[in-house]
Amino acid sequence: MMPQPADRSAPDHENLSRGDPGRRCVVVTGASSGIGKAAAMAFAHMGWHVIGTGRDTGRCHEAEAEIRSSASGPARIDFLRGDFSEMREVLRVAKDVQALTDDVHVLVNNAGGIRDGCYRTSEGLEATFAANHLAPFLLTRELRPLLERAAGTAAPGMVRVIAVSSSAHRIWPGMRWYDLMMKTAFDANAAYCQAKLANLLFTLELHRRLSDRGIVALAMHPGRVDSNFASHGDETMQAYMAANACAAPEQPARTIVWLATDPGLGGKGGCYFHDLAEEEPAPQALDYLEAEKLWRESDRILAEILETA
């Protein structure tokens, strides 16, 4: 059965089929362009059930058609639209994923980006921190039962949560606990660097909490990529991207697929990778106390926002 259009507000629960037995399922956020779309196309070519997400309805439709055309065998491609700076939309997308499949073998938290200024969401969050950290934190939390169900039948270590972070985490010395939303002294690039550090701390704590459930948490740095990443960034960021050589999205997508499928990486939970190789992150990304504190603080922030959801 063909999936519903990408801009639906909710799936048709009676008509959607559940996950196909024996077919691995991957959820790729930010799959309407760039790295996410390239990764989704690679998984589709491998015959996986691909569930992609995107923010823009038009790009979602176009990406779905491209990804479907690259699929191996009968296509099982689903696309969901949602703005990941809004936590209630993340919740809705999670529920839509739960309506599409019983098992998620790989979750690629790729959606995010940089902004050119301070934007507050309808929920009172700073948009960069919301989209880059709180959204993947919440989506992972909501999809945990599907990840654990997949881990119950998959080969050991073959259920993975992959964070697309950045080397920008090296620039930021530590989480600004007194002002995570940067309500004072806001700087767009600093907000992005802090969010990318949060990705690595989240991966560290996710590994600590879920490794005994058969779920492997990994993080990667994609490098400079020829995509629309900087389209919402300030002039400094756009000039930096324009002045430097950028890789095609397929290059970091190859690393994402490797992280998702290589059996040898099952024992590398909590680690950080770039271009098909492990790298040592900055020391501030390896602090287990900070990672646990970020988890607790993220839970607290989300509880305040979603208590009426």
Side-chain angles (χ1 to χ4, degrees):
M1 177 177 176
M2 294 292 287
Q4 297 280 330
D7 59 347
R8 62 187 181 273
S9 59
D12 183 339
H13 289 229
E14 293 184 357
N15 293 328
L16 284 170
S17 62
R18 307 303 295 176
D20 302 322
R23 186 190 300 232
R24 288 172 64 79
C25 177
V26 59
V27 176
V28 183
T29 68
S32 62
S33 64
I35 300 169
K37 184 173 76 171
M41 291 179 72
F43 285 115
H45 184 71
M46 293 160 56
W48 288 45
H49 174 194
V50 178
I51 302 175
T53 80
R55 184 177 57 186
D56 181 84
T57 300
R59 285 209 305 267
C60 284
H61 281 299
E62 293 172 3
E64 182 176 359
E66 284 189 63
I67 295 167
R68 189 176 300 282
S69 69
S70 69
S72 175
R76 181 69 204 275
I77 314 297
D78 293 293
F79 233 93
L80 304 169
R81 193 204 63 78
D83 180 352
F84 272 30
S85 67
E86 299 286 343
M87 298 303 103
R88 285 177 175 80
E89 291 211 21
V90 176
L91 275 184
R92 175 180 55 75
V93 168
K95 291 177 181 176
D96 290 354
V97 172
Q98 292 161 0
L100 289 167
T101 183
D102 293 321
D103 307 85
V104 171
H105 297 85
V106 175
L107 169 59
V108 182
N109 286 316
N110 165 71
I114 192 167
R115 306 297 293 268
D116 61 355
C118 184
Y119 295 87
R120 300 292 164 185
T121 72
S122 68
E123 297 163 328
L125 301 172
E126 190 277 309
T128 301
F129 190 76
N132 288 275
H133 168 62
L134 289 174
F137 179 90
L138 178 58
L139 184 65
T140 305
R141 189 180 79 181
E142 295 300 304
L143 296 185
R144 176 175 169 175
L146 277 64
L147 291 161
E148 290 186 352
R149 179 183 170 93
T153 57
M158 293 307 295
V159 173
R160 313 254 167 105
V161 177
I162 300 168
V164 178
S165 182
S166 169
S167 63
H169 81 276
R170 300 183 186 278
I171 301 171
W172 198 244
M175 302 302 295
R176 188 189 284 185
W177 295 116
Y178 65 91
D179 187 16
L180 283 177
M181 301 297 164
M182 294 191 176
K183 294 180 179 179
T184 60
F186 181 85
D187 178 88
N189 293 326
Y192 176 74
C193 294
Q194 176 176 247
K196 294 293 103 178
L197 173 60
N199 292 159
L200 298 186
L201 291 172
F202 171 51
T203 298
L204 200 64
E205 181 66 6
L206 187 67
H207 166 63
R208 188 184 73 82
R209 289 174 179 251
L210 297 189
S211 59
D212 64 345
R213 304 296 182 94
I215 297 169
V216 179
L218 306 166
M220 61 88 70
H221 162 48
R224 287 189 300 270
V225 181
D226 185 12
S227 68
N228 66 353
F229 161 75
S231 61
H232 297 290
D234 61 18
E235 291 183 1
T236 301
M237 175 57 69
Q238 294 194 32
Y240 169 78
M241 294 296 289
N244 289 277
C246 294
E250 288 74 17
Q251 183 169 325
R254 183 177 61 162
T255 296
I256 290 174
V257 172
W258 173 65
L259 293 175
T261 60
D262 191 314
L265 298 175
K268 290 289 187 177
C271 294
Y272 173 69
F273 300 83
H274 171 61
D275 200 17
L276 300 175
E278 184 178 354
E279 282 194 1
E280 185 77 5
Q284 60 268 30
L286 296 172
D287 191 321
Y288 279 94
L289 292 178
E290 291 285 281
E292 184 179 11
K293 184 175 181 178
L294 178 62
W295 189 290
R296 293 196 310 268
E297 186 65 11
S298 301
D299 266 337
R300 184 193 65 77
I301 293 169
L302 290 171
E304 289 182 356
I305 293 170
L306 301 173
E307 62 183 3
T308 60

